[in-house]
Each structure stands twice: as C-alpha cells, then as structure tokens.
Amino acid sequence: MEKQPRLLSSQLLLKNRVFEVTLNRALLTWKEIQTKKKRVYGSIHSTFKVAGSYCVPVPEIVAVREAEADSRTKDEGRWQKLSQKPTEGYPCAFTVSYVERGRQHRWRCSDVTFHCSDWTLCQQWVQSIREQLLLLTSRPKHLLVYINPYGGKQQGKLIYEEKVAPLFSRASISTDVIVTEYANHARDHLKMEADLKKYDGVVCVGGDGMFSEIVHGLVSRTQADCGVDQNCAEEKLVPCGIRIGIIPAGSTDCICYATVGTNDPATSALHVIVGDHQPLDVCSVHHNNTFLRYSVSLLGYGFYGDVLADSERKRWMGPARYNFSGVKTFLTHHHYEGTVSFLPATDILGNPRDKTKCRAGCYICQHNGKLLSEEAQLHKMEEPVSCSETEGDWRVIRGKFLAINAATMSCACPRSPKGLSACGPHHRPHLAPGSTSCVTSCATPARPHPHPQVLLQLSILLKINFLRHLLRHTNKDDQFDLAFVEGGGARGGKRLFRQICRDHPACGCTPVNSSWNCDGEILPHATIEVGVHRQLIRLFARGIEDQPLFEDFCTPSVI
C-alpha cells in the first residue's frame, strides 16, 4: 500500500503522557513517547523511545470536537470528566470519537482526548480532521427515520432515543422522525408522500417486518417513478437509489445478523454514521401475473408456512408463540405434493457447499453480476414429469415435500445462529450474488401409497430425519449431509412453484395446500412465480467482518 503523506503531526498530551500524533488521509495515529531522565555532568538529558502505536482509520472517525482541558462538559445528557488535570504547557484539548470493535461483531463509540500546547494548534487539529471527514461523501447528513413502537418488546422508541439519537447528534446528522401508528404506515408514506430527494437514507427502527415495509415502500416508489409495471413478472426492476439503515428492535432481527453479524442497536447506528454500503438481492413474488410481495430473506412452503400460520392465531403469546407453534407443527406435520422448477446457478462464482465465506468486501458478490445473463426466460411446466429431470437449462423436481425453502440470505438469528439456508459449517449464503439458495426436504417421490404398516414406519423415520435436519440449523453440521435434503442455487431468472396434488381415485386423498411464509407474512397462494433481482436495494452495512483480520490491526484501546 502506498504510504500516505502526512497532513499534520504534533506532540500532544494524553492522560499525562506525551504522544506523537499524526494525521494523513487514511489514518489518525498516535505513538507514546517514553522519557527516561538521567543526570549527566550536572545537567538533565532526555532519551526518547517509541512505545505502543495506536491508529484509527479516518472513515471510522465519528466526530471531533473541542474540549475544555480542565473542566467537566455535558455530553449526551450525562456529566463526564474528559481528562485528568493536564500538565502545564498543554492548556487546550480536543476529543476524537471513533469506532472501536468489540466481540461478536459489536461496535461501540469511544473517545480519546488530546491536549495541545496552544489554542491555534488545537484549532488546526480540529479543522484538519473535519476537512477529512467532509471528503467522505458516502456519509449521510439528513435521514428519514421510521420507528415502530409496537414491534418486538415494544422498545423501539426507547432504543432510538437512548442508544441511537445521541450518536446521530454527535455525528451532526439531522433526522426527521416518524413514529408509525398502524401497519404499513411507513410503506404507504414512502410510496406516496415522502420527499426522498431531501434525504441521504431511510432508517427503520423495528424488526424484520418493519424493514419489509421500508423495502416495499422504496422499491414500489422507485418502480412507479421509473414507469415499471410491478405486476409484470418479466419486468427488470430498477435499483433503489437511497440506502436503508436498520436499527434492530424486533423479535428475530435476522437482517441485521446476516448483514452486520449482531443485533446491537449502537453497532447498526455506527454503520449508518460511517456511511457503509452493502447491496442486497431481492426476490419478487407473483401469482397469475399479479404482484404479491418482495422477499429479502426466506420464502418457505410446508413446515415454515404451517408454523407461521399457526403462530398468527396465537399472537397473544408474544414471541413464545414461535416455539409453541414449531413444536406443534413438527408433531402434526404432513407432506405436500408439488413441483419445483428452477434455473440452476451454474454460471456464477461460488456454490452453497464450497469453502468460501461471504464477508465484508466479498469477491463473489462483487463479480457475479458480470457473469449473470441480462434476463432469464420464464419456463412453465404444462405436463407432469418424473421426480427429478432436466429440461433445457431448467431443472424440475416433482414429489412429496416436507418443506420447500428459498433463502436470499442466511436468515441467522438468536434462535438459529447459523441460519436456515443452504450453507456448510461456518459459511453463509452470499448477500448479493444474483441468485437464491433453494432447499427442498423430500418425503418421497410421487408414487402409489404403500401398505399402511410400512407407511407408519416411513412416517416415524421421516419425522426423526426431519428433526435432525431442523437441529442442524442451530449447530455446525452440514444440513446437506442427509439423503432427503437437496439444495442449490437458483440464478436471477424466474422460478415456478406449482402445487400438483389432485384427486387420486386409488388412494382417495384430497388436495391439501400449505401457505407460503414470505419474510414472516402469509401468502395463501400455492402456485407462485419468483424472480431474483440482483442488488435491488442497498443497506448501511458492510457484511460480516472477518474477526481475525482486525486482531492484527493496530486497533486503539481505551487509554
């Protein structure tokens, strides 16, 4: 890396110790200067030795402000002492607020206060750092904030006021705050009323449902402004030009887990402040040429659809309803007949079972767009086919399924730290490759019913195996290492899910449908068409950072 020229360098005081402080366009660094005094021929000489070195990337400086060197100052509603009494000769001071990394991908805002020998030097340092921050054009200056006061534990407003607003204020970010009053309030406001030209980003405080509202509002608004018909499944959607920030305050917060690595509100706020940029794929869902919804995390038919449908009838139980409905659905769960038709992601980098990890600056997410076709043609199966066969570039699977899942991200959350989607140990699906991970849990291929006693034995064995599959969402085992589980990537075209169970005179069964779980919302249509739209939205995030990378980096500690 080319060495950056120094913009400013001075000897400043920090906690009664002298440091050599240097600023260039990339880093703010400070090195302690240790003084060993010894008497030589009646005079005192000083020898200097460079000790520990500390540095902060300029893009991760939150703010800089002047500070009174020998007084208390009021900051964020509480009194705190900025520093100890300075040594004579350093009467002025300035404080730098910066991002400091903690465990489990958490960020926090830390302060370091330097004391200067004169007021002019102090002003010079403050001005120089502010000039470098102004050059960071990706940082937001004015945000539109939506707060859901009812989501999760109904702490959204309190979380914003106590943990987020003070950080935005410190970074000199102005905000227009709207507390939502009813379902889809934020979606409707974004679609019809919001003057988006005034803002550098939209921030939602709530859970995954609130984020879904923001996505639907922004994407619909963008398509309407560009004259794109959302009801046409063949339309190529226009990417949104404004970023979305997520302050987690919900029950699961899987979007934060997949894009940041934690559901800590302060961490998410700091990602917004530093102006991070993370593109995200979005799936559009249609039924009979009618737009239904957008999906950014999970489309689940069968088990997850049944769990959601049952839990919706028990909302009075709070978040515990998911555990109750999950156990109930597992014990009573049956399979569904259907057909899955998809375009395999064979022409892109990476696959669900390789050894690559989707981390900040992911190579695969950045380069797959160059390899994908401009558009894929929609293929519809008109006649029944065998259990699994290939027709052209499309793959078709027909049979009985316990679950059909299409995941655009890992769907990780506290209940499932490793996620639900197709990934090996310690690996997560990529966030913006232009494809989605399709996982099918097969019961049996479509065939005549066996003897009742054999059917009972198969049913018991099937439940045991499906339980193993569910448990592998929460541990390090590969969920594909089971015979009845199949997964792969579907690239950015359209995919048709068709329910094919009809009246069978031989067995006397009647058609039974499940519901689709679309990011926590119920879709009652069994037959849907799904299209993957690469990097349709952008988040104030950078992907999950690889922790060991920063252990060797000279990250500053609290001094």
Side-chain angles (χ1 to χ4, degrees):
M1 181 182 293
E2 183 179 353
K3 189 175 181 179
Q4 295 287 338
R6 292 183 178 182
L7 299 176
L8 195 57
S9 182
S10 306
Q11 289 188 10
L12 305 178
L13 197 69
L14 174 60
K15 294 291 185 181
N16 290 324
R17 290 177 288 173
V18 179
F19 283 74
E20 183 70 28
V21 186
T22 303
L23 174 69
N24 60 38
R25 297 188 185 280
L27 294 171
L28 172 68
T29 63
W30 57 97
K31 299 179 181 179
E32 183 179 0
I33 302 174
Q34 293 182 345
T35 304
K36 294 182 179 180
K37 298 181 179 181
K38 59 182 179 180
R39 188 174 300 275
V40 180
Y41 301 111
S43 62
I44 296 179
H45 297 271
S46 299
T47 59
F48 298 90
K49 178 183 178 181
V50 176
S53 177
Y54 307 88
C55 62
V56 173
V58 169
E60 294 183 5
I61 295 177
V62 175
V64 60
R65 64 188 184 277
E66 300 169 9
E68 295 183 13
D70 193 17
S71 65
R72 295 172 181 254
T73 184
K74 193 173 183 179
D75 182 43
E76 298 179 13
R78 62 181 183 272
W79 291 90
Q80 66 181 52
K81 192 172 183 178
L82 285 180
S83 65
Q84 298 174 353
K85 185 176 181 179
T87 303
E88 292 182 5
Y90 295 88
C92 306
F94 65 93
T95 298
V96 177
S97 301
Y98 61 90
V99 171
E100 185 175 20
R101 288 168 175 80
R103 295 181 178 180
Q104 299 179 336
H105 306 286
R106 289 174 178 259
W107 286 10
R108 63 188 180 97
C109 185
S110 294
D111 291 338
V112 58
T113 299
F114 298 101
H115 297 267
C116 305
S117 57
D118 60 73
W119 184 253
T120 301
L121 181 60
C122 182
Q123 288 282 87
Q124 188 178 3
W125 270 101
V126 172
Q127 184 64 26
S128 296
I129 295 176
R130 286 178 177 172
E131 287 176 356
Q132 295 308 304
L133 296 182
L134 288 174
L135 295 176
L136 304 174
T137 56
S138 64
R139 291 198 170 197
K141 297 179 176 61
H142 195 188
L143 296 172
L144 176 60
V145 180
Y146 295 96
I147 301 176
N148 179 6
Y150 307 109
K153 297 181 180 179
Q154 302 182 1
Q155 298 293 308
K157 190 174 180 181
L158 183 65
I159 288 174
Y160 178 78
E161 292 175 349
E162 293 189 353
K163 298 183 178 182
V164 179
L167 292 174
F168 285 171
S169 177
R170 183 181 299 187
S172 300
I173 296 176
S174 62
T175 58
D176 290 340
V177 179
I178 297 176
V179 180
T180 58
E181 300 175 356
Y182 51 87
N184 293 320
H185 183 176
R187 182 201 66 182
D188 296 341
H189 184 264
L190 282 170
K191 288 175 63 175
M192 307 297 297
E193 302 178 33
D195 184 4
L196 298 180
K197 295 180 180 179
K198 294 170 48 180
Y199 305 104
D200 303 309
V202 177
V203 174
C204 62
V205 183
D208 296 331
M210 186 64 175
F211 174 72
S212 180
E213 277 196 44
I214 301 299
V215 169
H216 281 79
L218 277 181
V219 174
S220 298
R221 173 72 172 270
T222 302
Q223 308 320 307
D225 291 345
C226 296
V228 176
D229 182 9
Q230 293 183 94
N231 286 319
C232 180
E234 298 293 338
E235 285 275 18
K236 183 177 180 180
L237 301 184
V238 178
C240 299
I242 190 169
R243 282 172 291 176
I244 305 173
I246 314 167
I247 306 300
S251 300
T252 55
D253 302 315
C254 76
I255 308 298
C256 279
Y257 266 87
T259 58
V260 177
T262 181
N263 64 339
D264 176 55
T267 300
S268 295
L270 289 169
H271 278 284
V272 174
I273 289 171
V274 301
D276 276 339
H277 177 282
Q278 172 62 56
L280 200 64
D281 292 345
V282 176
C283 290
S284 60
V285 184
H286 291 78
H287 171 72
N288 290 341
N289 294 320
T290 301
F291 169 73
L292 299 180
R293 288 190 66 83
Y294 292 111
S295 172
V296 294
S297 57
L298 177 70
L299 269 170
Y301 186 83
F303 179 77
Y304 290 107
D306 292 347
V307 169
L308 178 63
D310 186 78
S311 66
E312 285 297 300
R313 295 190 291 268
K314 300 176 177 60
R315 297 188 68 89
W316 54 271
M317 296 179 62
R321 68 185 185 273
Y322 297 114
N323 293 332
F324 180 86
S325 296
V327 173
K328 175 184 175 183
T329 301
F330 171 77
L331 295 176
T332 62
H333 190 50
H334 50 81
H335 56 261
Y336 302 93
E337 288 198 38
T339 295
V340 179
S341 172
F342 64 94
L343 188 63
T346 57
D347 58 349
I348 66 172
L349 300 173
N351 66 74
R353 300 193 70 182
D354 63 19
K355 299 301 181 182
T356 61
K357 299 180 182 181
C358 187
R359 292 295 185 262
C362 177
Y363 177 86
I364 290 178
C365 290
Q366 292 177 351
H367 290 78
N368 269 349
K370 301 176 182 178
L371 303 177
L372 291 172
S373 304
E374 287 295 322
E375 279 191 73
Q377 297 297 321
L378 175 64
H379 175 77
K380 296 185 178 181
M381 299 301 302
E382 296 298 339
E383 299 296 333
V385 295
S386 60
C387 177
S388 179
E389 65 180 59
T390 299
E391 185 166 314
D393 290 334
W394 286 77
R395 185 176 179 187
V396 181
I397 303 174
R398 176 186 173 184
K400 298 179 180 180
F401 301 96
L402 293 169
I404 301 173
N405 299 322
T408 312
M409 59 175 61
S410 69
C411 305
C413 66
R415 298 173 186 274
S416 179
K418 296 300 178 182
L420 303 177
S421 56
C423 55
H426 305 294
H427 301 279
R428 301 172 187 270
H430 296 276
L431 294 172
S435 63
T436 188
S437 299
C438 182
V439 184
T440 59
S441 300
C442 301
T444 58
R447 62 175 181 264
H449 287 246
H451 188 277
Q453 184 176 357
V454 176
L455 183 62
L456 177 61
Q457 295 174 352
L458 288 174
S459 177
I460 295 174
L461 179 62
L462 187 62
K463 285 186 179 297
I464 294 174
N465 284 331
F466 189 62
L467 178 61
R468 293 170 58 200
H469 171 62
L470 293 176
L471 291 177
R472 291 190 177 193
H473 295 326
T474 63
N475 58 33
K476 300 178 181 179
D477 295 332
D478 187 355
Q479 60 177 275
F480 287 117
D481 194 21
L482 295 170
F484 68 98
V485 178
E486 184 174 359
R491 71 187 185 192
K494 300 289 184 293
R495 188 169 63 258
L496 174 66
F497 297 101
R498 169 187 277 179
Q499 189 275 339
I500 62 169
C501 187
R502 301 181 178 89
D503 291 333
H504 296 283
C507 63
C509 72
T510 56
V512 178
N513 292 342
S514 179
S515 299
W516 283 96
N517 180 339
C518 180
D519 294 355
E521 297 292 331
I522 295 177
L523 298 181
H525 308 284
T527 304
I528 60 173
E529 300 169 13
V530 182
V532 186
H533 302 274
R534 185 175 186 267
Q535 301 188 4
L536 189 64
I537 60 175
R538 297 177 298 152
L539 306 184
F540 284 108
R542 64 175 60 177
I544 298 175
E545 292 181 319
D546 214 343
Q547 293 283 69
L549 174 66
F550 294 95
E551 292 178 359
D552 299 329
F553 188 72
C554 49
T555 303
S557 58
V558 179
I559 301 176

